[in-house]
Amino acid sequence: MNLRFWRGWGVGRRMAVITMLPVALLFTSFVWYSWYAHRAQVAEELAERGRILARALAETSEYNVISGNLSDLRLTINGLVQSDRSIYRVDVVDASGRASVRVVSESATDAQPHYYEAQIRKQVVWINLFSDNGTPHVSASSDSRPPTLTTEVVGWVRVTMSPSNMMAKQTDRFQIELSMAALALAASGILAWVLARSLIVPLREAIGSLRQIRGGNFQVNPPVSTGGEIGELQSSIGEMALALGESKRDLENKVAERTRDLLASRNEALRADADKRKLIQKVNEIIEDERKSIAVEIHDELNASLIAARLEAQAIGLLAAKAPPGAEVTEIRRKSEAITKLALDLYANGRRLVRRLRPEVLDMLGLHGAVEEVVRHYDSTSGCRFDLHSEGDFARLSNELAISAYRIVQEALSNVMKHAGARSAHVSLLLDEGKGVLRIRVVDDGAGFDTASASEGIGIIGMRERAYALHGTIEVRSSPGEGTDVAIALPLNVPAQPSLITPAVPASAS
Amino acid sequence: MNRTLRSIGKDMGANAPALASMLALTLLIAMAAGAVQAANQAAQQTANPSTGQVAQPAASSLATPVAPAAPVAAQQERSDSRGDNRSDNRGETQGFRFQIITGDDSAVTHRIAEDLYKRLVPTFAAFRTELAQKRRMLYIAIGPTALRDALSRRCDCVVISAYTSSQVWRSVTSRQSPSQNQARQRRPSSTAIYAEPAPSDQMRLAALLYGRPVRVGVLLGPDTAFLRPQLHDAAEVQMYSPGEDLNHTLNSMTRAEMLLALPDSDIYNAENVRNILLSTYRRKQGVLGFSSDMVKVGALATTYSEIEDINAQVAEIAAHFVATGELAEPQFPRYFRTIINEGVASSLDLRVTDAARNFARRAPAP
């Protein structure tokens, strides 16, 4: 048996047990003792009465037994026996043991198994009776009271008692006591119930209030319905709810404040971001413009001068051919040829420079053509196989977007050439007009790199910046030995300036 | 001297235990001779009854010619002694002396003896100068034992018995009258003041209690039968012989309104007294007891005599004897008072009057 079985009990039950247990114990012991006491009282009283009766009857029947006046004695005893229902039988036995008188009660029903016996003694008065015994016969009173002595036993009185009558009386008393005790027990029970209830109800209310507080309702204000610890608990809960409500309001106010600050910072950052994009765009524009002007300078001035220089060198060669042969003439001819060749190389370099600075192919062939051109160029000039896949009509792309896309592809291919050591690379251009996105993807089967550890090179940063300036996204997926996959998405329409969010003022904020 | 005597008696008692208790105190007053001689004499007298050795010469010297056995004989003796005392034997018997004989050592006996001594001394002072041997001895016996002792002495002496009931006195004196002539010769003459109240006084008391003449019943046994003639007229006499059913005898005494109890050990003994008192009480018969103690244990009333009353009477008898040489007849107490058990009286529906309460005959102041 678990000795701590009561641990699972509620307060009410404990309270009831605490209140009722002593009362119940008291009740039990009281009832038990009362019953015992009544029984003992009957026994004692019967014994006492029996003894006294026997003694008294012995005293009174002395004369009748001695004088033999038994009918008188019978009358006396009969009167006594019939008047007292607790006497069952009275026997008077004479000295020879013969029953002289027997009176049995008419009303008593049961008898005790034993009887109370008293000797009938013959009483003798020792006074000076002027007998010839030596002492002077003085008729005046002697100083001492003459003793009354008993000499012989002339019979016995035996009283048999009947307990039923006395027992019935005691049982009545016991029943009254029992009912009073039961009443007290019931009253204690009610009291215990009331007490337990007075404890449970405020506790339940307190628990309910705590639950409400847990649920976020700090507006509970449990009434202080009782005193003592429970009343203190109730008032504490009220105070706690109040304090919690206040601290929550404080917190909310702080959060709102922070939120406002945060929004402001965000807006600022957004604004700075937009500025940055604009700046990058502007820088790119300027770079492109500068490149264009440099290309124009090279094309128009340098290349024209180089052509002129070739023409001049060719003219020298022609002149030398017409001049008499000699060593000098041969030397002149060879030099003019060298100059012509140099001029041609320079021209070719100049043209290559112009092409790099200003992809006019873009203007001429559009994005698709330009990309095709550059792919073909790389495919032809390196050991790596490049191929291009494109979908969509790129004609309507803006110049800016097209240049950026072109530069991105250029940079990506340049990276493949410089770092990947790939055997093949695949370029795809997809124009998703439904979503308004241009998707560029460059995949190679090269060495790859760890995107987490390796720092980005200038190439990727450049690509990222270009995509960023156009509000596009760039995604680089690569791992060592697995090749590299660069995916760029550029929105066709540059979104408008992002709206600045003004912080929402919380309703509760003051 | 008193103390000396007692101490001798005690020494004797140590040697002879059978007689020691009988003679514890003896007072001997010797008025005539010197103190030392008197003391010796007293010692001799004390030793007499117990040892019997000294008694013989004393008896011979003090012998009287006649020792009567009965009161009737006592009268005869008295007339003789009168002649002895005053006229004829004047030279031989020149005076009287007295001795108080006691039978026990109780306080009551002491009181009686001391009081009696004071009363007797003046009477006998006149004979102080006479020789002890010449004076006639007067014994006063206190109680039955002392009476028996006194009567056993062989001397020319006189015994006054007090504090002994008539029944016992009679039985003692009759037993003391053996048939032998020798013994009869030496019998002292004796008289008695009976211990019990006079029946005539009791009768008067009964009438006073009831306020009218009453029918009084008397139970008489063999020893008290001698009273029958005396009571026959005044009371309903019922004879009782030992062995009869006393209750039956009492029941047959139906006409009596009162029972006059007289000392008789056959009837009124310790075992019977209560029964008699109860029986009579049940029949609404009052008992006139014969002592205060009896009234205290349940008798209705009695006349009784204090020690001083009896002693006064003894002194009167002694004085009369000394003066006249005549010994009075045995008699009932002359002086008495009355005691009534008021509780019993009221139970018997008696209204006790002051006349009954104060019924007395007082002794003259000494």
Side-chain angles (χ1 to χ4, degrees):
Chain A
M1 185 185 166
N2 185 7
L3 280 175
R4 295 177 172 182
F5 56 91
W6 46 270
R7 288 203 156 186
W9 292 0
V11 172
R13 198 164 169 193
R14 288 185 193 201
M15 187 73 196
V17 168
I18 287 168
T19 320
M20 288 306 291
L21 198 63
V23 178
L25 285 175
L26 207 66
F27 173 79
T28 315
S29 54
F30 169 74
V31 165
W32 183 86
Y33 174 74
S34 170
W35 178 239
Y36 166 80
H38 283 298
R39 285 190 68 90
Q41 198 178 338
V42 168
E44 281 169 21
E45 207 167 307
L46 272 184
E48 202 171 325
R49 281 175 77 170
R51 272 194 297 275
I52 291 170
L53 264 172
R55 187 71 254 154
L57 278 175
E59 295 288 338
T60 47
S61 39
E62 179 209 352
Y63 171 73
N64 291 93
V65 170
I66 292 168
S67 65
N69 190 358
L70 294 178
S71 58
D72 194 21
L73 181 63
R74 187 187 301 279
L75 268 176
T76 310
I77 294 177
N78 193 49
L80 181 72
V81 169
Q82 304 310 342
S83 67
D84 190 343
R85 290 177 63 193
S86 58
I87 305 171
Y88 178 73
R89 193 177 65 213
V90 174
D91 292 298
V92 179
V93 180
D94 66 12
S96 62
R98 197 168 45 83
S100 307
V101 177
R102 164 171 287 197
V103 179
V104 181
S105 169
E106 290 162 3
S107 52
T109 50
D110 58 337
Q112 282 190 321
H114 53 277
Y115 53 75
Y116 302 96
E117 190 178 72
Q119 291 176 335
I120 304 172
R121 291 161 186 273
K122 188 172 183 180
Q123 296 193 3
V124 176
V125 179
W126 287 110
I127 56 171
N128 193 344
L129 289 165
F130 296 2
S131 61
D132 188 6
N133 62 353
T135 52
H137 302 166
V138 179
S139 65
S141 59
S142 55
D143 297 336
S144 57
R145 173 122 184 84
T148 302
L149 298 176
T150 52
T151 49
E152 54 176 314
V153 175
V154 294
W156 290 270
V157 171
R158 289 167 184 166
V159 178
T160 309
M161 301 299 284
S162 163
S164 60
N165 181 42
M166 210 175 280
M167 200 65 209
K169 279 185 202 165
Q170 295 292 348
T171 306
D172 285 350
R173 278 184 216 165
F174 175 71
Q175 277 167 354
I176 291 168
E177 282 173 13
L178 188 67
S179 51
M180 280 171 75
L183 217 63
L185 187 70
S188 307
I190 292 166
L191 196 67
W193 183 76
V194 168
L195 277 176
R197 222 182 125 63
S198 76
L199 206 60
I200 293 168
V201 168
L203 273 178
R204 281 199 182 136
E205 282 174 6
I207 291 168
S209 303
L210 285 173
R211 284 209 173 113
Q212 279 190 330
I213 290 166
R214 192 182 62 188
N217 179 13
F218 301 114
Q219 299 306 305
V220 290
N221 191 14
V224 178
S225 58
T226 175
E229 285 87 347
I230 297 204
E232 231 167 89
L233 180 70
Q234 285 174 330
S235 63
S236 298
I237 287 172
E239 285 163 18
M240 187 184 78
L242 220 64
L244 277 176
E246 269 176 24
S247 69
K248 192 197 169 197
R249 262 200 305 281
D250 285 354
L251 265 176
E252 277 175 350
N253 287 342
K254 269 183 193 161
V255 166
E257 210 172 297
R258 289 284 161 82
T259 309
R260 266 201 307 278
D261 293 352
L262 218 57
L263 277 176
S265 308
R266 179 177 168 268
N267 288 344
E268 208 160 305
L270 282 175
R271 226 176 281 126
D273 193 46
D275 290 350
K276 186 183 162 193
R277 283 170 207 266
K278 237 184 258 172
L279 202 63
I280 293 169
Q281 236 170 336
K282 191 72 190 170
V283 167
N284 284 346
E285 258 171 48
I286 290 166
I287 289 170
E288 288 301 323
D289 286 350
E290 195 58 30
R291 277 182 177 174
K292 202 173 178 177
S293 69
I294 292 168
V296 167
E297 283 292 316
I298 292 170
H299 185 266
D300 289 356
E301 297 294 326
L302 186 64
N303 280 7
S305 302
L306 280 172
I307 286 165
R310 196 191 75 169
L311 288 172
E312 290 296 323
Q314 277 174 337
I316 292 167
L318 283 170
L319 281 169
K322 285 169 185 176
E328 285 92 0
V329 174
T330 310
E331 187 64 30
I332 290 166
R333 204 185 46 225
R334 216 177 15 100
K335 286 293 182 188
S336 74
E337 280 171 5
I339 290 168
T340 304
K341 194 178 174 291
L342 196 63
L344 273 175
D345 285 347
L346 278 173
Y347 180 76
N349 280 342
R351 280 200 51 103
R352 210 164 39 242
L353 205 63
V354 167
R355 202 179 296 139
R356 275 188 61 191
L357 285 171
R358 169 66 192 163
E360 69 266 31
V361 285
L362 209 56
D363 298 334
M364 291 181 295
L365 304 174
L367 178 63
H368 180 258
V371 169
E372 210 173 27
E373 164 72 23
V374 77
V375 165
R376 195 166 48 244
H377 172 75
Y378 279 112
D379 189 48
S380 59
T381 58
S382 70
C384 179
R385 297 285 308 154
F386 287 89
D387 66 292
L388 170 70
H389 168 77
S390 68
E391 281 178 28
D393 178 12
F394 303 100
R396 284 185 294 129
L397 290 180
S398 68
N399 195 31
E400 197 183 356
L401 182 64
I403 287 172
S404 287
Y406 177 73
R407 291 291 183 206
I408 286 168
V409 173
Q410 211 176 17
E411 188 60 47
L413 290 179
S414 165
N415 277 342
V416 170
M417 282 292 292
K418 277 191 258 176
H419 308 294
R423 287 194 308 277
S424 68
H426 175 77
V427 180
S428 69
L429 283 175
L430 290 171
L431 182 63
D432 187 348
E433 288 195 63
K435 289 183 180 174
V437 178
L438 171 66
R439 296 185 191 284
I440 302 161
R441 197 167 171 210
V442 178
V443 181
D444 69 65
D445 58 354
F449 62 97
D450 185 1
T451 52
S453 63
S455 59
E456 290 181 335
I458 298 295
I460 289 181
I461 292 171
M463 284 195 288
R464 199 178 287 281
E465 286 215 335
R466 279 186 188 278
Y468 176 71
L470 294 170
H471 301 281
T473 58
I474 177 167
E475 191 180 355
V476 179
R477 281 200 293 260
S478 178
S479 56
E482 297 289 320
T484 307
D485 181 351
V486 180
I488 298 112
L490 299 172
L492 299 184
N493 302 310
V494 174
Q497 179 76 14
S499 62
L500 296 182
I501 300 165
T502 50
V505 179
S508 60
S510 54
Chain B
M1 192 169 92
N2 195 352
R3 186 162 297 182
T4 317
L5 285 173
R6 204 185 306 167
S7 67
I8 290 168
K10 275 183 181 172
D11 290 342
M12 300 293 298
N15 293 330
L19 298 169
S21 62
M22 280 179 57
L23 204 64
L25 174 71
T26 302
L27 287 171
L28 177 70
I29 310 301
M31 300 290 173
V36 178
Q37 199 179 355
N40 288 338
Q41 180 73 24
Q44 271 189 351
Q45 294 293 341
T46 310
N48 264 342
S50 51
T51 59
Q53 292 169 354
V54 196
Q56 208 51 46
S60 59
S61 63
L62 295 170
T64 47
V66 180
V72 187
Q75 281 182 342
Q76 181 66 45
E77 192 267 340
R78 217 171 27 243
S79 59
D80 292 344
S81 65
R82 180 172 45 190
D84 288 348
N85 282 338
R86 292 291 169 187
S87 52
D88 305 334
N89 299 324
R90 183 121 190 140
E92 292 174 16
T93 312
Q94 293 169 336
F96 297 92
R97 52 190 177 131
F98 74 95
Q99 187 177 358
I100 298 169
I101 301 176
T102 57
D104 64 346
D105 198 15
S106 67
V108 176
T109 308
H110 273 282
R111 222 184 99 203
I112 292 168
E114 280 166 23
D115 181 72
L116 198 54
Y117 172 65
K118 282 179 204 155
R119 287 171 192 271
L120 291 179
V121 164
T123 310
F124 291 87
F127 310 107
R128 194 184 297 164
T129 52
E130 306 276 348
L131 279 172
Q133 285 78 9
K134 299 273 183 171
R135 288 177 282 159
R136 196 169 181 200
M137 177 62 83
L138 177 72
Y139 288 119
I140 295 107
I142 299 173
T145 311
L147 173 64
R148 218 175 273 115
D149 172 31
L151 291 179
S152 69
R153 301 191 182 189
R154 311 284 183 259
C155 60
D156 174 28
C157 50
V158 173
V159 175
I160 299 176
S161 164
Y163 302 102
T164 302
S165 69
S166 60
Q167 181 217 357
V168 174
W169 188 82
R170 275 184 67 84
S171 68
V172 169
T173 50
S174 63
R175 239 182 285 133
Q176 290 288 334
S177 56
S179 54
Q180 288 97 344
N181 288 329
Q182 293 174 332
R184 288 185 72 205
Q185 294 283 312
R186 296 173 190 145
R187 279 300 310 275
S189 59
S190 69
T191 187
I193 299 165
Y194 300 141
E196 76 264 28
S200 55
D201 293 333
Q202 297 274 60
M203 295 294 189
R204 285 176 60 202
L205 174 62
L208 277 171
L209 281 167
Y210 282 80
R212 58 177 168 80
V214 199
R215 286 190 302 278
V216 176
V218 182
L219 281 178
L220 293 179
D223 290 344
T224 44
F226 70 94
L227 289 166
R228 191 172 183 175
Q230 195 178 337
L231 293 166
H232 195 264
D233 296 335
E236 178 191 342
V237 176
Q238 183 76 39
M239 294 308 290
Y240 167 79
S241 53
E244 279 181 26
D245 185 355
L246 184 64
N247 281 303
H248 182 73
T249 311
L250 283 168
N251 285 340
S252 63
M253 207 173 63
T254 49
R255 285 186 57 245
E257 288 169 287
M258 291 192 87
L259 174 68
L260 173 63
L262 296 171
D264 186 339
S265 54
D266 288 334
I267 300 170
Y268 303 100
N269 52 46
E271 299 203 351
N272 276 349
V273 164
R274 214 166 151 269
N275 192 15
I276 291 167
L277 289 173
L278 279 169
S279 293
T280 51
Y281 177 70
R282 284 181 175 234
R283 282 194 298 271
K284 299 209 69 164
Q285 294 172 324
V287 174
L288 285 174
F290 46 80
S291 71
S292 286
D293 286 346
M294 209 162 159
V295 172
K296 282 181 186 170
V297 298
L300 170 61
T302 188
T303 59
Y304 69 98
S305 303
E306 290 288 352
I307 288 165
E308 289 75 16
D309 295 336
I310 300 283
N311 285 353
Q313 197 173 347
V314 170
E316 281 172 17
I317 289 176
H320 177 73
F321 173 65
V322 165
T324 62
E326 284 179 30
L327 195 58
E329 284 182 53
Q331 52 193 265
F332 286 101
R334 190 177 300 150
Y335 307 115
F336 63 88
R337 301 138 203 250
T338 297
I339 180 170
I340 297 170
N341 190 326
E342 301 277 348
V344 174
S346 65
S347 297
L348 293 173
D349 298 329
L350 289 181
R351 295 185 63 187
V352 181
T353 57
D354 281 342
R357 276 192 204 101
N358 300 327
F359 179 53
R361 191 183 302 126
R362 304 282 174 159

